[in-house]
Amino acid sequence: MAVCSEIMGLHQPSFLQGSGSLLLRGNQNKQSLAFPAICPDGQDRRRRLRSAKTVAAPVKATINEDVIKMVVGKQAKVDKVMLRAALTVRRKHKEDIKEAIVNQLDALTDKFGRNVVLELISTEINPRTKKQKTSGATVIKDWFEKKNVKGERVVYTADFTVDSSFGEPGAITVINRHQKEFFLESVVIEGEGSTSSCGPVHFSCNSWVQSTKDHPKKRIFFSNKPYLPSETPEGLKELRETELNELRGDGKGIRKLSDRIFDYATYNDLGNPDRGSEFARPTLGGEKIPYPRRCRTGRPPTDTNSPKVVFIQETTYRASFHGTDMLAESRVEKPNPIYVPRDEAFEELKQGAFAAGRLKAVLHSFIPSLIASISADNHDFKGFHHIDNLYKEGLILKLGLQEHLLKKLPFVKKIQESSEGLLRYDTPSILTKDKFAWLRDDEFARQAVAGINPVNIERLQSFPPVSNLDPAIYGPPESAITEAHIRGQLEGLTVQQAVEEGKLFMLDFHDIYLPFVDRINMMDGRKAYATRTLFFLTPIGTLKPIAIELGLPPRQPGASRPSMVLMPPRDATTNWLWMLGKAHVCSNDAGVHQLVNHWLKTHATMEPFILAAHRQLSTMHPVFKLLHPHMRYTLEINALARQSLINADGVIESCFTPGPIGMEMSSAYYKHHWRGVAVADHTQPHGLRLILPDYPYADDGLLLWSAITRFVGAYVQIYYPDSDPNRVRSDSELQAWYHECVNVGHEDHRHASWWSPLDTASDLVALLTTLIWIASAQHAALNFGQYPLGGYVPNRPPLMRRLVPDPDRDADEYKAFLADPHCFFLSSMPSVLQATKFMAVVDTLSTHSPDEEYLGGTRDGAAAWTADEEAAAVYRAFAAEVAAAEEEIESRNADPSRRNRCGAGVLPYELLAPSSGPGVTGRGVPNSVSI
């Protein structure tokens, strides 16, 4: 298993727990010319063979007749060769007036020397001077002429004259003397020579090239040929290190939006003490409050004397003012952009889709916010039909609020008329096949293995369940659930037999919630228990809930806990109590899902690995090329999360039960290990036997896990063959990357036992497989079902506002519950404002962008990511296996014996079906954590 599997929250397998290239064409008699001597001597045989199999180019640049005449028509110039560069520049779909004017000015000034300047660098060095061979500077010659060319992509050309012994171009430098940055998608170099050719040289750039007024240094781009550090051609060694040094920066200063610097910081920007002391939050990251590191922005400290956070117990904090805390970083509030390295920001299509989703979220929450602001009534839902109407007529008309609002805010009607489509919610998938499925116990259990958070179910190893918390503080460790509670629900088995035969399972949120329950319950409108739920595995392979424990902390340290145990209902009263108990379990589950399994164990855990990859692995490194698609957009979406989701008073605090202490809970969980429900069994197809026979998440996850493992294994063997067992250990960049991931990115756990050495190819395969799994399938399974399965709030309330009624605690409340249990249940749910805000946000988070790139998806020309045909062939085999997995998933969803994914009113499990269209689809596995 991967060396970092435990910190990711994973045991083996981990879930158990250059497009648009153009062909330059001209007259019929134009010729395509080739390079002289671009297969340099001195490479080992394997490298030469792989170079000889370089994939066909997706872009074919040609040289016109004038160039040919210059080269072959002058016999006296046989020692010189003309090379032509074809540069594909991607333009924005939409430009504002200012951008259009600047573009026209840049085109005009290009005529007067404010050019885009290029220089080629050979893979070879001059044998006499021992320095790089360079082409000398040249400029793009047709920028002005193509200023009015329509289309998303424009291809510009530049010519170089080099010695015939120049060798293969291995790098190109670019200087942008215009006023504005431009997006360079790719460069293709072709030329002429009398010796054998290896074809055009491709540079997959996909980067913003800044103006020299912002960044005066040359931009360096390497060809798409992979090189381990030890195999770097002599002519590129210095540039390789120069580029990495620039990406690392010096760790000082405020980052500009145009920077491309990757560095680390703690989560010291979630609070906003300048807004008030109640918005101060502890810094996450450090020995006392461990957390992964995030991308450094270098913003100055807050103006206010912010509270220093003092560590008290394992997960308990208090704030006390001791002067200015220089660790609290000032905030950048939306709509102002927050820094991420320039090339990591959303591209235009993604930005547009995200902005549209955010607009939709704003409109959805606008009316309820108005209602809350002008009325003392918090507007609970008065009936389930009011919730249903959100998906039919929109917010105003069917909540009985239109007249109330129009009297005070006449413009509301215009908003409703102009944006009614945006104000209406789509019907979540959970309601489409069976409107009342959420009420059933079997559906409650099914969602533990095929729902939004299918990773917390675990086999009960002994009875009763016990806590790992300190009994001197939290009381006796044994669960309040006894044999008497469950004996009659085990199909004739004794409790001991059920345990031994693997028939008992549990959702255990006890230990993560209990240290925080008192603080949660002191908040206005927030109520929580620390819950345990026991399930019995039925003979047909489904689970049924048999007991729910609702735990509260002891009234004094070490005393017994005042826990309540609920069993399946026997009458009307126990039915409503059981429904409320299940709702509290779902609320616990929603908090752990969002704060731990989704945010922490995919988004936050991946960020240090991405930062270290950019800082320590050259773009020429084969491991960087492998990982690059799985790092796309993650830094940007994480920055946006710090800005408006996980920050003080952000969406997570507003919509989930833990509220302001949610990120402290996330930090507490960072210390915990993942627990799985599989055992090794080498007779099984994937080397594991699932204890749960019908576990859709794990069943489908194994298909993708195995495909990723085989792909990574074959890819790694190309560059780290078994015949050279020391190659991994001797790879300086690879070792620096891993060392930094452990000792800087996850510094607070750098001494943990799960970090095994990165010594062998097997070690590397395990690590890379885990990272790719987390970024793709793990994140997809936890993210894209949020609105389809959670958009109907009663099915999975993200927060609870009332405890289960107890006649011993509050006799009057219990009487009110008996008199109107329907009203009591709805008043325990989120309010209209809380529910609609939550629905709008998870709708956005569940949406696929139009430019999404999916696991195993086609790549626009294999040379766009590598020139190594052997690696490209390995990827094609992987893509075919992923496609086959999708067909298998479709077949499973039609199998009536798989009752957790097929049956009357049962939703198919599609969250790990790899492909998807844009929008909220409830399926699709993107390559990266991109939303």
PDB file of all heavy atoms in Angstrom, residues 880-892:
ATOM      1  N   ALA A 880      -8.620   2.256 -22.137  1.00  0.00           N
ATOM      2  CA  ALA A 880      -9.491   1.152 -22.539  1.00  0.00           C
ATOM      3  C   ALA A 880     -10.012   0.401 -21.322  1.00  0.00           C
ATOM      4  O   ALA A 880     -11.187  -0.012 -21.285  1.00  0.00           O
ATOM      5  CB  ALA A 880      -8.733   0.201 -23.468  1.00  0.00           C
ATOM      6  N   GLU A 881      -9.173   0.248 -20.295  1.00  0.00           N
ATOM      7  CA  GLU A 881      -9.613  -0.449 -19.085  1.00  0.00           C
ATOM      8  C   GLU A 881     -10.638   0.371 -18.319  1.00  0.00           C
ATOM      9  O   GLU A 881     -11.604  -0.180 -17.770  1.00  0.00           O
ATOM     10  CB  GLU A 881      -8.410  -0.768 -18.192  1.00  0.00           C
ATOM     11  CG  GLU A 881      -8.766  -1.655 -17.018  1.00  0.00           C
ATOM     12  CD  GLU A 881      -7.549  -2.182 -16.273  1.00  0.00           C
ATOM     13  OE1 GLU A 881      -6.412  -1.920 -16.710  1.00  0.00           O
ATOM     14  OE2 GLU A 881      -7.752  -2.869 -15.254  1.00  0.00           O
ATOM     15  N   VAL A 882     -10.461   1.684 -18.284  1.00  0.00           N
ATOM     16  CA  VAL A 882     -11.447   2.549 -17.627  1.00  0.00           C
ATOM     17  C   VAL A 882     -12.784   2.477 -18.365  1.00  0.00           C
ATOM     18  O   VAL A 882     -13.855   2.430 -17.746  1.00  0.00           O
ATOM     19  CB  VAL A 882     -10.935   4.006 -17.553  1.00  0.00           C
ATOM     20  CG1 VAL A 882     -12.032   4.946 -17.070  1.00  0.00           C
ATOM     21  CG2 VAL A 882      -9.727   4.084 -16.616  1.00  0.00           C
ATOM     22  N   ALA A 883     -12.747   2.478 -19.693  1.00  0.00           N
ATOM     23  CA  ALA A 883     -13.981   2.356 -20.470  1.00  0.00           C
ATOM     24  C   ALA A 883     -14.674   1.027 -20.180  1.00  0.00           C
ATOM     25  O   ALA A 883     -15.914   0.962 -20.076  1.00  0.00           O
ATOM     26  CB  ALA A 883     -13.674   2.488 -21.962  1.00  0.00           C
ATOM     27  N   ALA A 884     -13.900  -0.037 -20.055  1.00  0.00           N
ATOM     28  CA  ALA A 884     -14.481  -1.341 -19.728  1.00  0.00           C
ATOM     29  C   ALA A 884     -15.089  -1.327 -18.329  1.00  0.00           C
ATOM     30  O   ALA A 884     -16.135  -1.952 -18.089  1.00  0.00           O
ATOM     31  CB  ALA A 884     -13.409  -2.426 -19.840  1.00  0.00           C
ATOM     32  N   ALA A 885     -14.448  -0.625 -17.400  1.00  0.00           N
ATOM     33  CA  ALA A 885     -14.995  -0.508 -16.044  1.00  0.00           C
ATOM     34  C   ALA A 885     -16.346   0.187 -16.069  1.00  0.00           C
ATOM     35  O   ALA A 885     -17.272  -0.192 -15.332  1.00  0.00           O
ATOM     36  CB  ALA A 885     -14.008   0.247 -15.148  1.00  0.00           C
ATOM     37  N   GLU A 886     -16.471   1.202 -16.898  1.00  0.00           N
ATOM     38  CA  GLU A 886     -17.748   1.907 -17.000  1.00  0.00           C
ATOM     39  C   GLU A 886     -18.850   0.980 -17.507  1.00  0.00           C
ATOM     40  O   GLU A 886     -19.983   1.013 -17.018  1.00  0.00           O
ATOM     41  CB  GLU A 886     -17.607   3.123 -17.908  1.00  0.00           C
ATOM     42  CG  GLU A 886     -18.882   3.923 -18.033  1.00  0.00           C
ATOM     43  CD  GLU A 886     -18.638   5.360 -18.440  1.00  0.00           C
ATOM     44  OE1 GLU A 886     -17.474   5.797 -18.426  1.00  0.00           O
ATOM     45  OE2 GLU A 886     -19.609   6.041 -18.761  1.00  0.00           O
ATOM     46  N   GLU A 887     -18.539   0.140 -18.469  1.00  0.00           N
ATOM     47  CA  GLU A 887     -19.520  -0.822 -18.965  1.00  0.00           C
ATOM     48  C   GLU A 887     -19.907  -1.820 -17.874  1.00  0.00           C
ATOM     49  O   GLU A 887     -21.081  -2.200 -17.750  1.00  0.00           O
ATOM     50  CB  GLU A 887     -18.963  -1.554 -20.185  1.00  0.00           C
ATOM     51  CG  GLU A 887     -18.788  -0.679 -21.417  1.00  0.00           C
ATOM     52  CD  GLU A 887     -18.266  -1.464 -22.604  1.00  0.00           C
ATOM     53  OE1 GLU A 887     -18.090  -2.691 -22.474  1.00  0.00           O
ATOM     54  OE2 GLU A 887     -18.037  -0.835 -23.665  1.00  0.00           O
ATOM     55  N   GLU A 888     -18.929  -2.232 -17.090  1.00  0.00           N
ATOM     56  CA  GLU A 888     -19.207  -3.166 -16.005  1.00  0.00           C
ATOM     57  C   GLU A 888     -20.107  -2.518 -14.948  1.00  0.00           C
ATOM     58  O   GLU A 888     -21.033  -3.156 -14.421  1.00  0.00           O
ATOM     59  CB  GLU A 888     -17.900  -3.639 -15.373  1.00  0.00           C
ATOM     60  CG  GLU A 888     -18.058  -4.478 -14.111  1.00  0.00           C
ATOM     61  CD  GLU A 888     -18.795  -5.790 -14.335  1.00  0.00           C
ATOM     62  OE1 GLU A 888     -18.888  -6.243 -15.500  1.00  0.00           O
ATOM     63  OE2 GLU A 888     -19.300  -6.365 -13.344  1.00  0.00           O
ATOM     64  N   ILE A 889     -19.866  -1.248 -14.639  1.00  0.00           N
ATOM     65  CA  ILE A 889     -20.705  -0.535 -13.671  1.00  0.00           C
ATOM     66  C   ILE A 889     -22.138  -0.449 -14.172  1.00  0.00           C
ATOM     67  O   ILE A 889     -23.107  -0.645 -13.414  1.00  0.00           O
ATOM     68  CB  ILE A 889     -20.120   0.861 -13.390  1.00  0.00           C
ATOM     69  CG1 ILE A 889     -18.812   0.736 -12.598  1.00  0.00           C
ATOM     70  CG2 ILE A 889     -21.119   1.742 -12.639  1.00  0.00           C
ATOM     71  CD1 ILE A 889     -18.023   2.022 -12.487  1.00  0.00           C
ATOM     72  N   GLU A 890     -22.297  -0.170 -15.435  1.00  0.00           N
ATOM     73  CA  GLU A 890     -23.636  -0.107 -16.024  1.00  0.00           C
ATOM     74  C   GLU A 890     -24.331  -1.466 -15.907  1.00  0.00           C
ATOM     75  O   GLU A 890     -25.526  -1.548 -15.598  1.00  0.00           O
ATOM     76  CB  GLU A 890     -23.539   0.314 -17.487  1.00  0.00           C
ATOM     77  CG  GLU A 890     -24.882   0.506 -18.168  1.00  0.00           C
ATOM     78  CD  GLU A 890     -24.736   0.987 -19.600  1.00  0.00           C
ATOM     79  OE1 GLU A 890     -23.615   1.406 -19.980  1.00  0.00           O
ATOM     80  OE2 GLU A 890     -25.734   0.970 -20.334  1.00  0.00           O
ATOM     81  N   SER A 891     -23.599  -2.536 -16.147  1.00  0.00           N
ATOM     82  CA  SER A 891     -24.164  -3.874 -16.023  1.00  0.00           C
ATOM     83  C   SER A 891     -24.566  -4.179 -14.587  1.00  0.00           C
ATOM     84  O   SER A 891     -25.633  -4.769 -14.331  1.00  0.00           O
ATOM     85  CB  SER A 891     -23.146  -4.909 -16.524  1.00  0.00           C
ATOM     86  OG  SER A 891     -23.595  -6.225 -16.309  1.00  0.00           O
ATOM     87  N   ARG A 892     -23.742  -3.791 -13.637  1.00  0.00           N
ATOM     88  CA  ARG A 892     -24.048  -4.035 -12.226  1.00  0.00           C
ATOM     89  C   ARG A 892     -25.316  -3.302 -11.807  1.00  0.00           C
ATOM     90  O   ARG A 892     -26.110  -3.817 -11.007  1.00  0.00           O
ATOM     91  CB  ARG A 892     -22.876  -3.589 -11.356  1.00  0.00           C
ATOM     92  CG  ARG A 892     -21.640  -4.453 -11.486  1.00  0.00           C
ATOM     93  CD  ARG A 892     -20.461  -3.863 -10.729  1.00  0.00           C
ATOM     94  NE  ARG A 892     -19.298  -4.742 -10.771  1.00  0.00           N
ATOM     95  CZ  ARG A 892     -18.144  -4.474 -10.194  1.00  0.00           C
ATOM     96  NH1 ARG A 892     -17.978  -3.322  -9.526  1.00  0.00           N
ATOM     97  NH2 ARG A 892     -17.145  -5.330 -10.270  1.00  0.00           N
TER      98      ARG A 892
END
